[in-house]
């Protein structure tokens, strides 16, 4: 990793040893993101040790799936003006209200 660490981050990383809380609390206190903290901390360790970086680039892939239900069980009512078809997933209170409304 040959990119230089910004001076601001060198200063922030130097303050970490005197902070007694967690890394999350430290980052919140200094208003920096935890992921950036770990990134620059790792860069600093690599530069000081000459070791290979421990970060691995990860690419996220998203797959979308569309599911359609073609047949759904229904409840059918024959009324004076035609047939009323309701899904079985409709709650009982709604069905009763519809039937009462048709009966009025």
């Amino acid at each position: 990793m040959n990119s230089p660490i910004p001076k601001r981050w060198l200063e922030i990383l130097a303050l970490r040893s005197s902070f007694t809380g967690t890394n999350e609390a430290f980052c919140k206190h200094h208003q920096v993101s935890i992921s950036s903290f770990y990134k620059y901390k790792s860069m600093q360790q690599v530069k000081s040790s000459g070791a290979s970086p421990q970060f691995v680039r990860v690419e996220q892939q998203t797959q979308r799936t569309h599911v359609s239900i073609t047949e759904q069980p229904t409840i059918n009512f024959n009324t004076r003006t035609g047939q009323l078809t309701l899904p079985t997933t409709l709650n009982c209170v709604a069905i009763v209200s519809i039937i009462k409304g048709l009966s009025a």
Side-chain angles (χ1 to χ4, degrees), residues 17-81:
S17 61
S18 63
F19 190 86
T20 57
T22 65
N23 286 341
E24 287 184 8
F26 175 80
C27 291
K28 188 174 184 178
H29 178 77
H30 291 283
Q31 298 177 342
V32 295
S33 75
I34 189 81
S35 60
S36 294
F37 170 78
Y38 284 123
K39 172 186 171 184
Y40 289 113
K41 181 179 174 189
S42 175
M43 287 173 69
Q44 184 182 43
Q45 289 171 343
V46 167
K47 282 187 181 252
S48 64
S49 70
S52 298
Q54 295 176 347
F55 281 95
V56 176
R57 180 173 297 280
V58 176
E59 292 184 23
Q60 183 177 1
Q61 293 182 347
T62 304
Q63 180 178 353
R64 292 181 185 240
T65 305
H66 178 73
V67 177
S68 64
I69 300 173
T70 54
E71 254 184 73
Q72 193 174 35
T74 58
I75 301 171
N76 297 313
F77 294 100
N78 291 320
T79 65
R80 288 177 274 172
T81 58

Side-chain angles (χ1 to χ4, degrees), residues 4-19:
I5 301 172
K7 182 180 177 184
R8 175 177 179 254
W9 273 103
L10 291 173
E11 293 167 357
I12 290 172
L13 293 170
L15 295 172
R16 179 60 184 107
S17 61
S18 63
F19 190 86

